[in-house]
């Protein structure tokens, strides 16, 4: 248990917990609403915003937050209108953000240590300010999910249905995009701008394979998110390899295992028979 | 207490447009409490748009819409929607979607409850009653994605009824269903109307379902072409003109049956 005695390791473990819970919770929205591409776009926008901050000299967190909100404001109405598939527009925005990120990086003078740090993240050097931001975002995400569980359940199930029964579905949808942007902003310094999205989507996608209860989906997703972070840290400590990358590999492995052992795989086979009655246990 | 002849939907000269297309070009319709109104017409006639005017999802360019005695405006649309049940065509639901039949029906209560209020025992009782009414009690704990199209439509009807609505909107609820499921959904809708005298607007392509309606509205090119009782509408020349293709009716067992 030598791993626990270092101050930086204690911070990293705490950061992995907070980031794991926050990312995997907003991941549930993203997976349920099938908007992973929007999530990827938001995280790259945050990355570009952070790099702009690093280039011009303001706090990268502020840049990341501003850019991801801006991207959400552009994408939200496209996805919300629902009249056409917003994939093309999101694709354009996504590539623009990636282009801007590399442009800002290219404009930076000298060694680009800070930029590369933002790209890959550095969970072993989290500051107290990072931890506080992560804690605030994590607590807000969890509190909002508890408070608005029924609205979130309705909107993530079916936006038009939620709207038709009188739930302010658009407001909830924008709030979920906003929360996703805030979570990405708070965690990208620890996980890294390029890798953050795996920690959002993998735990939730893994949990989605395993349960038919949305409450359990949130809990399992958070569990997988934290597990990915902690196992990744342990492995990166033992073999002295980059932590962010290991965390992503671990979360992908969890997803693969969950998919292989998913009770829902049987359902797919059975539903082809056409009975509509399959006995997949939860 | 609501009077039987009270006007619950009043649409005056409504014009609605989506992008370049004009979906409704001056439509007026009055519906009284308890009426069962069928709406037919070719694709693109504006039938669905007409329904979206009633639950405040459509954007009015000009004209007036009053629902349940109140003018529809963006600020009260949420409130009006809590009192309008809406069932669309059977949806493509992911079989892995983590939500059960009972939870889907409970969504019908959520709009009325409003934020920060959790469902009470009274809400759960309403939900159970509606699940029972549509015959879904044995399947109430199943994930919604596992059900057949007909069962999903029953669930959608239960969800809309769980709102305890004053108006019930049905937008081709039997589309894509097999013959038996179509018949069962139609019977269910008619039974609900008979029991609750619930004001019902029913958009359909199933012309053989029309005798179940009190009144039939004919729509084409964003306009109401005419309306009348099913008997007056179910005529070769009326339907052939509406759809722009020869339609033949024959009499079978004392009622008109539509052949294409």
């Amino acid at each position: 248990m030598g791993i626990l005695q270092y101050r930086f390791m204690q911070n990293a473990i705490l950061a992995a917990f907070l980031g794991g819970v926050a990312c995997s919770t907003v991941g549930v929205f993203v997976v349920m609403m099938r908007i992973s591409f929007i999530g990827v776009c938001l995280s790259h926008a945050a990355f570009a915003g952070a790099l702009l901050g690093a280039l011009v000299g303001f706090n990268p967190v502020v840049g990341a937050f501003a850019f991801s909100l801006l991207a959400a404001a552009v994408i939200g109405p496209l996805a919300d209108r629902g009249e056409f598939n917003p994939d093309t527009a999101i694709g354009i925005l996504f590539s623009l953000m990636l282009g801007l990120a590399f442009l800002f990086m290219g404009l930076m003078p000298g060694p680009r240590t800070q930029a590369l740090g933002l790209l890959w993240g550095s969970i072993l050097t989290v500051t107290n300010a990072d931890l506080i931001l992560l804690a605030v975002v994590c607590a807000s995400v969890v509190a909002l999910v508890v408070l608005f569980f029924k609205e979130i359940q309705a909107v993530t199930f079916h936006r038009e249905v939620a709207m038709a029964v009188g739930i302010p579905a658009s407001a909830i949808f924008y709030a979920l995009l906003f929360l996703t942007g805030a979570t990405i902003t708070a965690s990208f310094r620890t996980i890294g701008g390029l890798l953050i999205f795996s920690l959002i989507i993998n735990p939730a996608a893994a949990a989605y394979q395993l349960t038919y209860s949305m409450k359990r989906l949130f809990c399992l997703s958070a569990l997988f998110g934290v597990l990915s972070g902690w196992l990744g840290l342990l492995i990166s400590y033992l073999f002295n390899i980059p932590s962010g990358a290991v965390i992503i590999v671990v979360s992908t492995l969890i997803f693969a295992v969950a998919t292989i052992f998913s009770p829902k795989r049987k359902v797919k086979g059975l539903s082809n028979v056409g009975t509509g009655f399959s006995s997949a246990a939860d | 207490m609501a009077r039987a002849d009270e006007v619950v939907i009043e649409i005056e000269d409504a014009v609605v447009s989506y992008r370049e297309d004009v979906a409704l070009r001056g439509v007026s319709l009055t519906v009284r409490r308890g009426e069962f109104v069928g709406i037919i017409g070719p694709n693109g006639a504006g039938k669905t748009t007409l329904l979206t005017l009633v639950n405040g999802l459509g954007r009015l360019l000009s004209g007036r819409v009053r629902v349940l005695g109140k003018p529809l405006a963006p600020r009260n649309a949420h409130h009006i929607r809590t009192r309008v049940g809406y069932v669309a065509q059977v949806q493509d639901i992911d079989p892995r979607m983590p939500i059960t039949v009972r939870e889907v029906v409970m969504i019908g209560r959520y709009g009325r409850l409003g934020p920060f209020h959790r469902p009470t025992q009274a809400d759960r009782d309403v939900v159970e009653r509606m699940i029972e009414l549509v015959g879904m009690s044995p399947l109430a704990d199943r994930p919604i994605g596992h059900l057949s199209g007909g069962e999903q439509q029953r669930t959608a009807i239960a969800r809309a009824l769980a709102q305890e609505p004053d108006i019930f909107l049905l937008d081709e609820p039997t589309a894509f269903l097999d013959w038996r499921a179509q018949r069962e959904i139609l019977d269910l809708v008619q039974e609900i109307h008979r029991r609750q005298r619930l004001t019902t607007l029913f958009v359909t392509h199933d012309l053989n379902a029309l005798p179940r309606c009190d009144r039939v509205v004919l729509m084409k090119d964003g306009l109401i072409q005419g309306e009348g009782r099913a008997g007056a509408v179910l005529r070769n020349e009326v339907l052939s003109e509406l759809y722009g293709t020869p339609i033949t009716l024959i009499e079978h067992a004392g009622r008109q049956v539509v052949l294409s």
Side-chain angles (χ1 to χ4, degrees):
Chain A
M1 282 285 109
I3 185 174
L4 291 175
Q5 68 194 349
Y6 303 106
R7 173 73 200 202
F8 71 86
M9 224 24 179
Q10 293 166 359
N11 278 349
I13 288 167
L14 189 56
F17 175 81
L18 296 170
V21 170
C23 288
S24 55
T25 303
V26 298
V28 171
F29 315 147
V30 172
V31 168
M32 286 278 292
M33 296 194 289
R34 301 174 176 214
I35 53 169
S36 18
F37 202 30
I38 294 182
V40 177
C41 193
L42 291 187
S43 59
H44 285 79
F47 180 52
L51 284 172
L52 182 65
L55 174 68
V56 178
F58 58 86
N59 190 340
V61 173
V62 176
F65 198 49
F67 264 58
S68 62
L69 288 193
L70 206 68
V74 173
I75 296 168
L78 294 176
D80 197 32
R81 223 177 294 158
E83 283 173 30
F84 68 101
N85 194 329
D87 265 8
T88 312
I90 297 168
I92 291 167
L93 194 61
F94 166 77
S95 48
L96 172 68
M97 288 305 165
L98 205 56
L100 284 179
F102 283 105
L103 175 67
F104 298 150
M105 214 191 289
L107 289 175
M108 274 177 204
R112 298 174 184 117
T113 333
Q114 194 189 2
L116 289 175
L118 292 172
L119 196 58
W120 301 115
S122 41
I123 197 166
L124 297 177
T125 60
V126 280
T127 62
N128 280 340
D130 289 333
L131 280 177
I132 291 170
L133 180 63
L134 264 178
V136 169
V137 168
C138 180
S140 314
V141 167
V142 172
L144 287 170
V145 167
V146 171
L147 269 179
F148 292 97
F149 181 79
K150 67 182 202 299
E151 283 80 9
I152 290 172
Q153 184 183 39
V155 169
T156 55
F157 164 59
H158 205 290
R159 205 125 40 93
E160 283 79 43
V161 165
M163 195 176 278
V165 301
I167 292 170
S170 288
I172 300 279
F173 176 69
Y174 281 102
L176 296 183
L177 285 188
F178 176 86
L179 272 186
T180 308
T183 302
I184 288 168
T185 304
S187 7
F188 78 90
R189 262 163 58 124
T190 47
I191 308 294
L194 280 188
L195 303 176
I196 179 87
F197 200 67
S198 314
L199 199 53
I200 289 185
I201 202 160
N202 291 354
Y208 192 78
Q209 303 298 326
L210 298 177
T211 179
Y212 287 110
S213 147
M214 192 152 168
K215 282 181 183 149
R216 245 174 283 169
L217 178 61
F218 274 114
C219 296
L220 271 179
S221 182
L223 177 73
F224 291 156
V226 173
L227 204 64
S228 307
W230 284 354
L231 273 177
L233 272 180
L234 181 67
I235 294 168
S236 90
Y237 174 82
L238 292 178
F239 298 98
N240 194 24
I241 42 181
S243 52
V246 183
I247 290 173
I248 299 319
V249 172
V250 170
S251 72
T252 310
L253 282 178
I254 291 177
F255 170 72
V257 171
T259 308
I260 291 166
F261 291 103
S262 168
K264 300 188 180 185
R265 272 157 57 94
K266 283 185 284 184
V267 174
K268 210 177 170 192
L270 263 181
S271 66
N272 290 339
V273 181
T275 58
F277 298 104
S278 43
S279 58
D282 204 339
Chain B
M1 192 61 212
R3 296 196 327 274
D5 61 346
E6 178 194 0
V7 171
V8 287
I9 300 170
E10 205 177 355
I11 299 171
E12 274 177 58
D13 213 17
V15 178
V16 176
S17 142
Y18 295 114
R19 286 159 286 155
E20 300 94 61
D21 305 326
V22 182
L24 292 181
R25 14 179 123 238
V27 163
S28 300
L29 180 71
T30 303
V31 179
R32 292 176 191 282
R33 185 173 294 278
E35 267 195 295
F36 190 145
V37 180
I39 301 170
I40 61 168
N43 291 331
K47 306 183 295 295
T48 297
T49 309
L50 185 64
L51 290 194
T52 61
L53 276 187
V54 178
N55 69 357
L57 291 175
R59 296 235 171 87
L60 209 54
L61 272 187
S62 70
R64 283 195 332 136
V65 179
R66 289 175 71 87
V67 176
L68 300 166
K70 295 193 184 73
L72 244 173
R75 78 196 141 68
N76 69 2
H78 286 308
H79 176 69
I80 291 210
R81 278 203 276 281
T82 64
R83 298 175 62 187
V84 178
Y86 183 79
V87 173
Q89 294 170 1
V90 64
Q91 309 279 324
D92 186 20
I93 298 175
D94 181 3
R96 295 169 302 171
M97 182 62 88
I99 189 164
T100 65
V101 167
R102 184 174 280 115
E103 288 170 323
V104 170
V105 177
M106 184 57 93
I107 289 176
R109 303 299 294 170
Y110 287 172
R112 294 174 59 110
L113 277 167
F116 309 115
H117 296 281
R118 293 191 176 278
T120 63
Q121 188 56 45
D123 295 306
R124 282 189 282 274
D125 290 345
V126 172
V127 166
E128 290 312 314
R129 228 174 39 239
M130 296 314 163
I131 291 176
E132 171 100 44
L133 178 72
V134 301
M136 288 294 288
S137 298
L139 303 176
D141 291 315
R142 283 197 188 268
I144 181 80
H146 288 197
L147 305 183
S148 69
E151 289 159 350
Q152 289 187 3
Q153 286 306 74
R154 287 171 179 272
T155 306
I157 290 172
R159 184 202 75 230
L161 293 179
Q163 291 176 246
E164 296 180 297
D166 292 303
I167 297 170
F168 194 18
L169 306 178
L170 296 144
D171 191 359
E172 295 188 48
T174 58
F176 310 119
L177 298 184
D178 63 39
W179 279 86
R180 179 176 154 185
Q182 286 187 28
R183 173 76 59 84
E184 287 173 352
I185 293 294
L186 285 175
D187 288 345
L188 179 62
V189 168
Q190 197 176 20
E191 174 68 12
I192 290 161
H193 179 256
R194 193 186 60 77
R195 274 207 226 173
Q196 307 189 1
R197 302 309 299 171
L198 184 57
T199 312
T200 304
L201 297 194
F202 174 47
V203 168
T204 187
H205 283 305
D206 179 2
L207 302 176
N208 287 321
L210 296 182
R212 300 167 188 258
C213 305
D214 297 327
R215 177 156 63 111
V216 179
V217 172
L218 312 180
M219 290 193 74
K220 191 176 187 178
D221 300 330
L223 289 167
I224 291 183
Q225 301 262 313
E227 54 178 286
R229 302 191 69 84
V233 170
L234 282 172
R235 291 153 61 124
N236 294 348
E237 62 276 16
V238 174
L239 294 176
S240 301
E241 211 244 298
L242 182 68
Y243 287 96
T245 183
I247 292 178
T248 313
L249 291 115
I250 55 165
E251 193 153 316
H252 173 75
R255 67 187 192 97
Q256 298 276 21
V257 181
V258 180
L259 302 176
S260 70

